[in-house]
Amino acid sequence: FGSTLALTAADRTVNGALGFDKRNVLVGSINLPERTYSDPEKRRRFVLGVMEGMRSIPAATDIGVTSNIPSGFNNNGRPFFPEGVELTPAEARFVNYRLSSNGYFSALKIPLVRGRWFEETDRPETVQVAVVSASLARRYWPQQDALGKRFTLAADGPSFTVIGVSGDVVHNWFTRREDTVYRPISQAPPYGGDFVIRTAGDPTALAGDFRRAVAAMDADQPIAALTTLEAMVEDRAGGFTFIARALGVVAVIAL
């Protein structure tokens, strides 16, 4: 019975509703060194340059970047403080936190529920904006329109304004925490992250193109990982699959 439950959980992880389309997506992971990319504008130019290089490839239909890919091994969280609610740091719930480009949502086919995605006009000197997931909007602003609502990610931190509500995404199968805040890379450029390229065919066929796009921006910058999103999701389900098989062996021995 236990092995059946574990196998079912693994199958749901690989084939269930994750809130994004894992098929035909190449993922290239980059970690920019702080010693040479301490300037936020330099990081922004690198990220935008790599994406621009991939846009010239006909087989690449959508290109974006995020600080943490779903089913990846990193998950960044922040305490959430909605405006108008008195919470101590100990009382605040943690939410998923992602720095993302506009193209990231279309590359993973994450739907826009309300409002708008990020734009290049969202710059450091303009209003600090965010997109939140539908589950977060329901939790903190039930029966209300989340657009225009404000929040902080620290008790005394800067305020962010909600401009859009996205569909829910399962970032990690072991937590399934879907409450998410997305911030634009144009306002907070990350130290690299995960580039996502949706392709018209086999995503691995564009691996060489991605390497060239990175080298064109910085010939000395290594690529930390280059794989498909489908493979990443399946790899993350490997723990469940191993446990299920082990339980199955124990059950047979017990019988």
Side-chain angles (χ1 to χ4, degrees):
F1 178 72
S3 60
T4 300
L5 286 177
L7 281 172
T8 300
D11 178 70
R12 286 177 179 172
T13 299
V14 176
N15 301 310
L18 298 174
F20 60 91
D21 187 349
K22 65 181 185 294
R23 299 167 297 178
N24 295 338
V25 176
L26 182 70
V27 180
S29 301
I30 299 287
N31 298 313
L32 297 175
E34 187 173 0
R35 71 181 188 280
T36 52
Y37 282 93
S38 59
D39 180 11
E41 183 59 24
K42 187 175 181 180
R43 297 197 300 272
R44 192 183 75 88
R45 286 197 302 269
F46 174 87
V47 170
L48 294 179
V50 172
M51 289 195 295
E52 190 61 34
M54 290 305 298
R55 287 193 184 98
S56 65
I57 310 302
T61 58
D62 288 287
I63 301 98
V65 67
T66 185
S67 55
N68 300 94
I69 192 77
S71 296
F73 287 94
N74 297 314
N75 192 48
N76 202 338
R78 294 282 193 280
F80 188 83
F81 298 88
E83 189 178 72
V85 180
E86 294 294 331
L87 293 175
T88 66
E91 293 171 331
R93 297 175 64 100
F94 270 70
V95 299
N96 285 298
Y97 178 70
R98 301 288 188 270
L99 300 171
S100 304
S101 70
N102 185 27
Y104 165 73
F105 301 98
S106 57
L108 266 61
K109 296 187 177 180
I110 299 172
L112 179 66
V113 178
R114 280 188 57 73
R116 68 171 176 88
W117 295 127
F118 304 131
E119 298 172 353
E120 271 302 298
T121 52
D122 297 318
R123 298 301 302 271
E125 64 274 12
T126 63
V127 174
Q128 300 296 291
V129 299
V131 168
V132 300
S133 64
S135 61
L136 186 149
R138 288 192 301 269
R139 181 187 301 278
Y140 291 100
W141 302 294
Q143 310 304 318
Q144 301 179 58
D145 188 353
L147 300 184
K149 293 291 193 283
R150 297 165 65 85
F151 64 90
T152 68
L153 296 173
D156 56 351
S159 182
F160 307 109
T161 300
V162 177
I163 59 165
V165 178
S166 74
D168 290 328
V169 168
V170 177
H171 292 285
N172 290 284
W173 57 263
F174 52 87
T175 64
R176 293 191 64 86
R177 188 174 64 204
E178 297 168 333
D179 292 357
T180 307
V181 169
Y182 299 95
R183 291 269 292 121
I185 62 167
S186 55
Q187 291 187 333
Y191 280 94
D194 298 301
F195 290 85
V196 290
I197 302 100
R198 176 162 293 281
T199 66
D202 178 11
T204 60
L206 272 67
D209 296 296
F210 180 73
R211 292 190 181 95
R212 285 187 287 274
V214 171
M217 294 305 300
D218 186 344
D220 297 323
Q221 175 60 47
I223 297 173
L226 192 56
T227 184
T228 67
L229 184 55
E230 198 161 18
M232 291 180 68
V233 172
E234 292 173 355
D235 286 346
R236 289 294 269 172
F240 264 146
T241 304
F242 175 80
I243 292 170
R245 290 173 179 168
L247 288 172
V249 171
V250 172
V252 170
I253 293 173
L255 287 172

